[in-house]
mmCIF file of all heavy atoms in Angstrom:
data_model
loop_
_atom_site.group_PDB
_atom_site.id
_atom_site.type_symbol
_atom_site.label_atom_id
_atom_site.label_comp_id
_atom_site.label_asym_id
_atom_site.label_seq_id
_atom_site.Cartn_x
_atom_site.Cartn_y
_atom_site.Cartn_z
ATOM 1 N N ALA A 305 132.930 114.282 57.604
ATOM 2 C CA ALA A 305 131.537 114.727 57.811
ATOM 3 C C ALA A 305 131.464 116.169 58.323
ATOM 4 O O ALA A 305 130.372 116.767 58.301
ATOM 5 C CB ALA A 305 130.823 113.790 58.775
ATOM 6 N N THR A 306 132.596 116.707 58.764
ATOM 7 C CA THR A 306 132.589 118.076 59.301
ATOM 8 C C THR A 306 132.773 119.133 58.205
ATOM 9 O O THR A 306 132.628 120.328 58.475
ATOM 10 C CB THR A 306 133.722 118.287 60.313
ATOM 11 O OG1 THR A 306 135.003 118.161 59.662
ATOM 12 C CG2 THR A 306 133.619 117.276 61.453
ATOM 13 N N VAL A 307 133.059 118.713 56.985
ATOM 14 C CA VAL A 307 133.360 119.666 55.913
ATOM 15 C C VAL A 307 132.145 120.549 55.592
ATOM 16 O O VAL A 307 132.240 121.774 55.611
ATOM 17 C CB VAL A 307 133.886 118.959 54.649
ATOM 18 C CG1 VAL A 307 133.949 119.934 53.484
ATOM 19 C CG2 VAL A 307 135.267 118.375 54.911
ATOM 20 N N ASP A 308 131.030 119.933 55.277
ATOM 21 C CA ASP A 308 129.826 120.712 54.952
ATOM 22 C C ASP A 308 129.399 121.608 56.124
ATOM 23 O O ASP A 308 129.048 122.774 55.913
ATOM 24 C CB ASP A 308 128.677 119.807 54.516
ATOM 25 C CG ASP A 308 128.839 119.320 53.080
ATOM 26 O OD1 ASP A 308 129.668 119.917 52.343
ATOM 27 O OD2 ASP A 308 128.146 118.356 52.703
ATOM 28 N N PRO A 309 129.402 121.102 57.383
ATOM 29 C CA PRO A 309 129.053 121.976 58.488
ATOM 30 C C PRO A 309 129.966 123.197 58.649
ATOM 31 O O PRO A 309 129.484 124.297 58.899
ATOM 32 C CB PRO A 309 129.154 121.041 59.692
ATOM 33 C CG PRO A 309 128.806 119.709 59.160
ATOM 34 C CD PRO A 309 129.441 119.679 57.787
ATOM 35 N N ILE A 310 131.263 123.025 58.459
ATOM 36 C CA ILE A 310 132.147 124.164 58.633
ATOM 37 C C ILE A 310 131.944 125.185 57.494
ATOM 38 O O ILE A 310 132.013 126.393 57.695
ATOM 39 C CB ILE A 310 133.656 123.756 58.739
ATOM 40 C CG1 ILE A 310 134.482 124.893 59.370
ATOM 41 C CG2 ILE A 310 134.248 123.370 57.409
ATOM 42 C CD1 ILE A 310 134.174 125.184 60.790
ATOM 43 N N LEU A 311 131.630 124.691 56.284
ATOM 44 C CA LEU A 311 131.330 125.593 55.168
ATOM 45 C C LEU A 311 130.053 126.387 55.447
ATOM 46 O O LEU A 311 129.994 127.581 55.162
ATOM 47 C CB LEU A 311 131.198 124.797 53.861
ATOM 48 C CG LEU A 311 132.448 124.100 53.326
ATOM 49 C CD1 LEU A 311 132.131 123.343 52.049
ATOM 50 C CD2 LEU A 311 133.580 125.087 53.091
ATOM 51 N N LYS A 312 129.068 125.722 56.041
ATOM 52 C CA LYS A 312 127.827 126.400 56.380
ATOM 53 C C LYS A 312 128.043 127.503 57.426
ATOM 54 O O LYS A 312 127.464 128.594 57.359
ATOM 55 C CB LYS A 312 126.791 125.410 56.894
ATOM 56 C CG LYS A 312 126.195 124.529 55.799
ATOM 57 C CD LYS A 312 125.185 123.535 56.356
ATOM 58 C CE LYS A 312 124.642 122.652 55.245
ATOM 59 N NZ LYS A 312 123.694 121.630 55.749
ATOM 60 N N VAL A 313 128.903 127.222 58.391
ATOM 61 C CA VAL A 313 129.210 128.204 59.442
ATOM 62 C C VAL A 313 129.904 129.411 58.806
ATOM 63 O O VAL A 313 129.564 130.583 59.090
ATOM 64 C CB VAL A 313 130.101 127.592 60.528
ATOM 65 C CG1 VAL A 313 130.589 128.665 61.491
ATOM 66 C CG2 VAL A 313 129.333 126.511 61.282
ATOM 67 N N VAL A 314 130.884 129.160 57.959
ATOM 68 C CA VAL A 314 131.629 130.237 57.318
ATOM 69 C C VAL A 314 130.729 131.085 56.413
ATOM 70 O O VAL A 314 130.873 132.303 56.337
ATOM 71 C CB VAL A 314 132.829 129.666 56.499
ATOM 72 C CG1 VAL A 314 133.392 130.695 55.550
ATOM 73 C CG2 VAL A 314 133.903 129.157 57.465
ATOM 74 N N ASP A 315 129.768 130.453 55.774
ATOM 75 C CA ASP A 315 128.901 131.150 54.809
ATOM 76 C C ASP A 315 127.696 131.821 55.470
ATOM 77 O O ASP A 315 127.005 132.603 54.815
ATOM 78 C CB ASP A 315 128.417 130.153 53.740
ATOM 79 C CG ASP A 315 129.517 129.689 52.829
ATOM 80 O OD1 ASP A 315 130.582 130.369 52.771
ATOM 81 O OD2 ASP A 315 129.352 128.637 52.188
ATOM 82 N N SER A 316 127.453 131.541 56.726
ATOM 83 C CA SER A 316 126.276 132.087 57.384
ATOM 84 C C SER A 316 126.383 133.578 57.620
ATOM 85 O O SER A 316 127.423 134.078 58.051
ATOM 86 C CB SER A 316 126.043 131.379 58.722
ATOM 87 O OG SER A 316 124.966 131.983 59.415
ATOM 88 N N SER A 317 125.306 134.308 57.343
ATOM 89 C CA SER A 317 125.266 135.744 57.621
ATOM 90 C C SER A 317 124.948 136.004 59.094
ATOM 91 O O SER A 317 125.148 137.120 59.576
ATOM 92 C CB SER A 317 124.209 136.434 56.750
ATOM 93 O OG SER A 317 122.926 135.872 56.998
ATOM 94 N N ASN A 318 124.485 134.995 59.786
ATOM 95 C CA ASN A 318 124.161 135.104 61.211
ATOM 96 C C ASN A 318 124.613 133.836 61.923
ATOM 97 O O ASN A 318 123.793 133.045 62.385
ATOM 98 C CB ASN A 318 122.667 135.333 61.417
ATOM 99 C CG ASN A 318 122.305 135.597 62.856
ATOM 100 O OD1 ASN A 318 123.116 136.129 63.641
ATOM 101 N ND2 ASN A 318 121.112 135.213 63.249
ATOM 102 N N PRO A 319 125.935 133.618 62.035
ATOM 103 C CA PRO A 319 126.433 132.379 62.600
ATOM 104 C C PRO A 319 126.176 132.275 64.087
ATOM 105 O O PRO A 319 126.081 133.301 64.770
ATOM 106 C CB PRO A 319 127.935 132.451 62.296
ATOM 107 C CG PRO A 319 128.234 133.917 62.254
ATOM 108 C CD PRO A 319 127.005 134.538 61.644
ATOM 109 N N PRO A 320 126.068 131.061 64.604
ATOM 110 C CA PRO A 320 125.794 130.861 66.024
ATOM 111 C C PRO A 320 127.051 131.150 66.863
ATOM 112 O O PRO A 320 128.173 131.051 66.364
ATOM 113 C CB PRO A 320 125.422 129.389 66.124
ATOM 114 C CG PRO A 320 126.192 128.754 64.995
ATOM 115 C CD PRO A 320 126.204 129.762 63.894
ATOM 116 N N LEU A 321 126.835 131.479 68.131
ATOM 117 C CA LEU A 321 127.971 131.615 69.039
ATOM 118 C C LEU A 321 128.585 130.264 69.318
ATOM 119 O O LEU A 321 129.808 130.126 69.393
ATOM 120 C CB LEU A 321 127.526 132.276 70.350
ATOM 121 C CG LEU A 321 128.604 132.344 71.465
ATOM 122 C CD1 LEU A 321 129.807 133.146 71.022
ATOM 123 C CD2 LEU A 321 127.996 132.904 72.745
ATOM 124 N N ARG A 322 127.713 129.254 69.488
ATOM 125 C CA ARG A 322 128.194 127.900 69.758
ATOM 126 C C ARG A 322 127.557 126.922 68.784
ATOM 127 O O ARG A 322 126.372 127.045 68.466
ATOM 128 C CB ARG A 322 127.821 127.486 71.195
ATOM 129 C CG ARG A 322 128.667 128.160 72.270
ATOM 130 C CD ARG A 322 128.331 127.604 73.651
ATOM 131 N NE ARG A 322 129.311 128.055 74.621
ATOM 132 C CZ ARG A 322 129.243 129.222 75.262
ATOM 133 N NH1 ARG A 322 128.221 130.031 75.043
ATOM 134 N NH2 ARG A 322 130.181 129.556 76.128
ATOM 135 N N LEU A 323 128.343 125.921 68.382
ATOM 136 C CA LEU A 323 127.808 124.880 67.519
ATOM 137 C C LEU A 323 128.512 123.553 67.836
ATOM 138 O O LEU A 323 129.715 123.414 67.660
ATOM 139 C CB LEU A 323 128.025 125.213 66.030
ATOM 140 C CG LEU A 323 127.474 124.207 65.033
ATOM 141 C CD1 LEU A 323 125.958 124.064 65.163
ATOM 142 C CD2 LEU A 323 127.839 124.613 63.616
ATOM 143 N N LEU A 324 127.733 122.605 68.349
ATOM 144 C CA LEU A 324 128.271 121.271 68.627
ATOM 145 C C LEU A 324 128.463 120.500 67.330
ATOM 146 O O LEU A 324 127.645 120.569 66.428
ATOM 147 C CB LEU A 324 127.298 120.513 69.542
ATOM 148 C CG LEU A 324 127.100 121.106 70.921
ATOM 149 C CD1 LEU A 324 125.862 120.484 71.597
ATOM 150 C CD2 LEU A 324 128.326 120.911 71.793
ATOM 151 N N PHE A 325 129.561 119.754 67.248
ATOM 152 C CA PHE A 325 129.830 118.882 66.113
ATOM 153 C C PHE A 325 129.795 117.443 66.621
ATOM 154 O O PHE A 325 130.662 117.035 67.408
ATOM 155 C CB PHE A 325 131.220 119.173 65.503
ATOM 156 C CG PHE A 325 131.214 120.194 64.408
ATOM 157 C CD1 PHE A 325 130.187 121.103 64.254
ATOM 158 C CD2 PHE A 325 132.303 120.285 63.523
ATOM 159 C CE1 PHE A 325 130.209 122.065 63.236
ATOM 160 C CE2 PHE A 325 132.330 121.230 62.516
ATOM 161 C CZ PHE A 325 131.280 122.126 62.375
ATOM 162 N N GLY A 326 128.815 116.660 66.186
ATOM 163 C CA GLY A 326 128.784 115.235 66.491
ATOM 164 C C GLY A 326 127.645 114.855 67.411
ATOM 165 O O GLY A 326 127.211 115.629 68.265
ATOM 166 N N LYS A 327 127.125 113.643 67.225
ATOM 167 C CA LYS A 327 125.977 113.187 67.996
ATOM 168 C C LYS A 327 126.323 112.927 69.444
ATOM 169 O O LYS A 327 125.460 113.078 70.331
ATOM 170 C CB LYS A 327 125.378 111.924 67.353
ATOM 171 C CG LYS A 327 126.264 110.674 67.349
ATOM 172 C CD LYS A 327 125.582 109.516 66.658
ATOM 173 C CE LYS A 327 126.430 108.279 66.691
ATOM 174 N NZ LYS A 327 125.790 107.114 66.003
ATOM 175 N N VAL A 328 127.561 112.555 69.745
ATOM 176 C CA VAL A 328 127.977 112.353 71.139
ATOM 177 C C VAL A 328 127.979 113.698 71.867
ATOM 178 O O VAL A 328 127.465 113.835 72.990
ATOM 179 C CB VAL A 328 129.357 111.681 71.215
ATOM 180 C CG1 VAL A 328 129.844 111.644 72.667
ATOM 181 C CG2 VAL A 328 129.300 110.266 70.624
ATOM 182 N N ALA A 329 128.573 114.720 71.230
ATOM 183 C CA ALA A 329 128.594 116.036 71.831
ATOM 184 C C ALA A 329 127.178 116.526 72.109
ATOM 185 O O ALA A 329 126.887 117.038 73.190
ATOM 186 C CB ALA A 329 129.327 117.011 70.887
ATOM 187 N N TYR A 330 126.300 116.349 71.144
ATOM 188 C CA TYR A 330 124.926 116.829 71.306
ATOM 189 C C TYR A 330 124.237 116.155 72.484
ATOM 190 O O TYR A 330 123.661 116.801 73.345
ATOM 191 C CB TYR A 330 124.128 116.581 70.025
ATOM 192 C CG TYR A 330 122.667 116.944 70.159
ATOM 193 C CD1 TYR A 330 122.235 118.252 70.041
ATOM 194 C CD2 TYR A 330 121.728 115.948 70.439
ATOM 195 C CE1 TYR A 330 120.886 118.572 70.203
ATOM 196 C CE2 TYR A 330 120.394 116.272 70.595
ATOM 197 C CZ TYR A 330 119.977 117.589 70.467
ATOM 198 O OH TYR A 330 118.661 117.912 70.628
ATOM 199 N N SER A 331 124.295 114.820 72.540
ATOM 200 C CA SER A 331 123.540 114.082 73.561
ATOM 201 C C SER A 331 124.142 114.296 74.945
ATOM 202 O O SER A 331 123.413 114.469 75.928
ATOM 203 C CB SER A 331 123.486 112.592 73.207
ATOM 204 O OG SER A 331 124.771 112.040 73.140
ATOM 205 N N VAL A 332 125.472 114.277 75.038
ATOM 206 C CA VAL A 332 126.125 114.424 76.345
ATOM 207 C C VAL A 332 125.894 115.826 76.917
ATOM 208 O O VAL A 332 125.540 115.974 78.085
ATOM 209 C CB VAL A 332 127.651 114.125 76.240
ATOM 210 C CG1 VAL A 332 128.352 114.524 77.530
ATOM 211 C CG2 VAL A 332 127.866 112.652 75.951
ATOM 212 N N VAL A 333 126.114 116.854 76.101
ATOM 213 C CA VAL A 333 125.926 118.219 76.592
ATOM 214 C C VAL A 333 124.486 118.471 76.989
ATOM 215 O O VAL A 333 124.200 119.075 78.025
ATOM 216 C CB VAL A 333 126.408 119.242 75.532
ATOM 217 C CG1 VAL A 333 126.028 120.657 75.934
ATOM 218 C CG2 VAL A 333 127.922 119.127 75.362
ATOM 219 N N LYS A 334 123.555 117.990 76.194
ATOM 220 C CA LYS A 334 122.123 118.160 76.499
ATOM 221 C C LYS A 334 121.783 117.532 77.865
ATOM 222 O O LYS A 334 121.114 118.139 78.706
ATOM 223 C CB LYS A 334 121.279 117.549 75.394
ATOM 224 C CG LYS A 334 119.768 117.784 75.594
ATOM 225 C CD LYS A 334 118.990 117.164 74.445
ATOM 226 C CE LYS A 334 117.497 117.354 74.634
ATOM 227 N NZ LYS A 334 116.702 116.735 73.564
ATOM 228 N N ASP A 335 122.271 116.313 78.096
ATOM 229 C CA ASP A 335 121.983 115.602 79.348
ATOM 230 C C ASP A 335 122.627 116.311 80.540
ATOM 231 O O ASP A 335 122.015 116.462 81.606
ATOM 232 C CB ASP A 335 122.439 114.153 79.266
ATOM 233 C CG ASP A 335 121.594 113.313 78.333
ATOM 234 O OD1 ASP A 335 120.515 113.787 77.939
ATOM 235 O OD2 ASP A 335 122.038 112.202 77.993
ATOM 236 N N VAL A 336 123.893 116.691 80.385
ATOM 237 C CA VAL A 336 124.618 117.329 81.486
ATOM 238 C C VAL A 336 123.976 118.671 81.850
ATOM 239 O O VAL A 336 123.834 118.999 83.040
ATOM 240 C CB VAL A 336 126.109 117.512 81.155
ATOM 241 C CG1 VAL A 336 126.798 118.399 82.170
ATOM 242 C CG2 VAL A 336 126.794 116.145 81.089
ATOM 243 N N TYR A 337 123.564 119.434 80.862
ATOM 244 C CA TYR A 337 122.955 120.740 81.147
ATOM 245 C C TYR A 337 121.590 120.546 81.841
ATOM 246 O O TYR A 337 121.215 121.366 82.698
ATOM 247 C CB TYR A 337 122.829 121.549 79.876
ATOM 248 C CG TYR A 337 124.031 122.444 79.679
ATOM 249 C CD1 TYR A 337 125.289 121.905 79.443
ATOM 250 C CD2 TYR A 337 123.923 123.836 79.748
ATOM 251 C CE1 TYR A 337 126.413 122.690 79.284
ATOM 252 C CE2 TYR A 337 125.030 124.647 79.592
ATOM 253 C CZ TYR A 337 126.272 124.090 79.363
ATOM 254 O OH TYR A 337 127.377 124.864 79.211
ATOM 255 N N ALA A 338 120.854 119.516 81.482
ATOM 256 C CA ALA A 338 119.590 119.234 82.166
ATOM 257 C C ALA A 338 119.840 118.911 83.627
ATOM 258 O O ALA A 338 119.101 119.384 84.517
ATOM 259 C CB ALA A 338 118.873 118.077 81.462
ATOM 260 N N GLN A 339 120.899 118.143 83.899
ATOM 261 C CA GLN A 339 121.261 117.822 85.274
ATOM 262 C C GLN A 339 121.695 119.067 86.056
ATOM 263 O O GLN A 339 121.357 119.241 87.223
ATOM 264 C CB GLN A 339 122.364 116.774 85.306
ATOM 265 C CG GLN A 339 121.958 115.411 84.751
ATOM 266 C CD GLN A 339 123.151 114.510 84.464
ATOM 267 O OE1 GLN A 339 124.269 114.751 84.941
ATOM 268 N NE2 GLN A 339 122.913 113.488 83.658
ATOM 269 N N ARG A 340 122.434 119.944 85.379
ATOM 270 C CA ARG A 340 122.889 121.181 86.047
ATOM 271 C C ARG A 340 121.702 122.072 86.418
ATOM 272 O O ARG A 340 121.653 122.644 87.520
ATOM 273 C CB ARG A 340 123.853 121.940 85.133
ATOM 274 C CG ARG A 340 125.211 121.293 85.021
ATOM 275 C CD ARG A 340 126.110 122.045 84.065
ATOM 276 N NE ARG A 340 127.400 121.392 83.920
ATOM 277 C CZ ARG A 340 128.331 121.740 83.056
ATOM 278 N NH1 ARG A 340 128.114 122.748 82.224
ATOM 279 N NH2 ARG A 340 129.480 121.083 83.011
ATOM 280 N N LEU A 341 120.752 122.193 85.508
ATOM 281 C CA LEU A 341 119.577 123.017 85.779
ATOM 282 C C LEU A 341 118.762 122.449 86.929
ATOM 283 O O LEU A 341 118.246 123.167 87.773
ATOM 284 C CB LEU A 341 118.718 123.130 84.508
ATOM 285 C CG LEU A 341 119.256 124.037 83.411
ATOM 286 C CD1 LEU A 341 118.440 123.880 82.134
ATOM 287 C CD2 LEU A 341 119.272 125.498 83.855
ATOM 288 N N ALA A 342 118.653 121.109 86.960
ATOM 289 C CA ALA A 342 117.926 120.460 88.056
ATOM 290 C C ALA A 342 118.615 120.727 89.399
ATOM 291 O O ALA A 342 117.953 121.002 90.411
ATOM 292 C CB ALA A 342 117.817 118.964 87.805
ATOM 293 N N SER A 343 119.927 120.673 89.414
ATOM 294 C CA SER A 343 120.685 120.926 90.644
ATOM 295 C C SER A 343 120.557 122.379 91.083
ATOM 296 O O SER A 343 120.432 122.686 92.272
ATOM 297 C CB SER A 343 122.170 120.580 90.428
ATOM 298 O OG SER A 343 122.914 120.837 91.597
ATOM 299 N N ILE A 344 120.548 123.298 90.107
ATOM 300 C CA ILE A 344 120.370 124.723 90.437
ATOM 301 C C ILE A 344 119.002 124.948 91.107
ATOM 302 O O ILE A 344 118.918 125.662 92.116
ATOM 303 C CB ILE A 344 120.461 125.582 89.155
ATOM 304 C CG1 ILE A 344 121.915 125.642 88.669
ATOM 305 C CG2 ILE A 344 119.926 126.983 89.368
ATOM 306 C CD1 ILE A 344 122.103 126.242 87.308
#
């Protein structure tokens, strides 16, 4: 499932600095960053 995403990154004229791969990465990082901002 990572094949098409990596091709899109390589072909992008304006690629992102960071790109999460996978629904676990997305949900966990989003939740942890919300907790960090709250603590700040």
